[in-house]
Amino acid sequence: MRFKNTSDHIEAYIKAILEQSGMVELQRSQLADTFQVVPSQINYVIKTRFTESRGYLVESKRGGGGYIRIGRIEFSNHHEMLRDLLYSVGEEVGLAIFEDVLRLLFEQDLVTRQEMNLLLAMATDRVLGDDANLIRANMLRQLLQEVDIKGK
């Protein structure tokens, strides 16, 4: 059984609100008080778990009346999503971004859990070597094109 840490609880809380309303507007300090953590913990969760490659848009305003707005990226269809992801792949892709995109594809039922896990196992720095980020970018571009073509 996996025990959840504070970051997991904060993520689950934000996702629960997103499920209900599609968009959430939070104040960092209030959320930090709710979970009895420092505001930087909230920043960490948002920067690592609510990224564009995971399918989220985040808008932030700092200061006294500051807020954090988080919304799920909505696509009209899978083709549009895959095209946008393909367009955003740079010359190099780190393992974290590669994993984020695979999780998004899994959540959208475009790859199976087994396919996701196999691709992750093959995309590690240890397997790919010195040019891992370049190879991962090529792998990701090819994967997105194949998934789009197959219309899976």
Side-chain angles (χ1 to χ4, degrees):
M1 181 173 164
R2 184 178 156 209
F3 294 100
K4 288 189 169 194
N5 62 32
T6 304
S7 294
D8 292 335
H9 288 291
I10 295 167
E11 176 186 15
Y13 175 81
I14 294 170
K15 283 183 174 179
I17 296 171
L18 280 168
E19 285 291 318
Q20 294 173 357
S21 64
M23 169 84 63
V24 63
E25 188 170 305
L26 307 163
Q27 289 201 311
R28 201 178 334 263
S29 59
Q30 288 177 343
L31 194 55
D33 289 345
T34 300
F35 287 95
Q36 298 189 350
V37 297
V38 294
S40 62
Q41 175 89 28
I42 304 303
N43 289 341
Y44 168 79
V45 171
I46 290 166
K47 287 184 181 185
T48 60
R49 301 190 183 193
F50 294 92
T51 62
E52 191 173 332
S53 60
R54 287 189 177 195
Y56 297 96
L57 286 176
V58 177
E59 180 183 333
S60 178
K61 180 182 174 216
R62 294 194 178 266
Y67 60 83
I68 301 167
R69 242 184 237 136
I70 303 171
R72 193 86 164 124
I73 298 173
E74 297 294 330
F75 295 96
S76 60
N77 59 44
H78 286 141
H79 173 71
E80 181 184 340
M81 178 189 74
L82 294 165
R83 187 195 64 214
D84 286 356
L85 286 170
L86 183 61
Y87 179 75
S88 69
V89 175
E91 290 298 312
E92 296 187 9
V93 171
L95 186 57
I97 298 295
F98 189 81
E99 184 174 348
D100 286 350
V101 172
L102 284 177
R103 286 192 191 286
L104 178 61
L105 294 176
F106 171 71
E107 290 170 2
Q108 296 292 316
D109 293 324
L110 294 170
V111 299
T112 66
R113 181 177 299 279
Q114 183 179 13
E115 290 168 335
M116 177 184 73
N117 288 334
L118 288 170
L119 286 163
L120 285 172
M122 299 305 295
T124 65
D125 290 350
R126 194 174 119 247
V127 170
L128 299 178
D130 293 337
D131 293 329
N133 289 345
L134 291 168
I135 296 168
R136 259 192 300 272
N138 289 332
M139 288 173 63
L140 189 54
R141 276 191 288 278
Q142 188 64 37
L143 173 65
L144 292 170
Q145 290 172 347
E146 289 297 315
V147 169
D148 193 21
I149 289 169
K150 301 238 190 264
K152 191 172 180 185

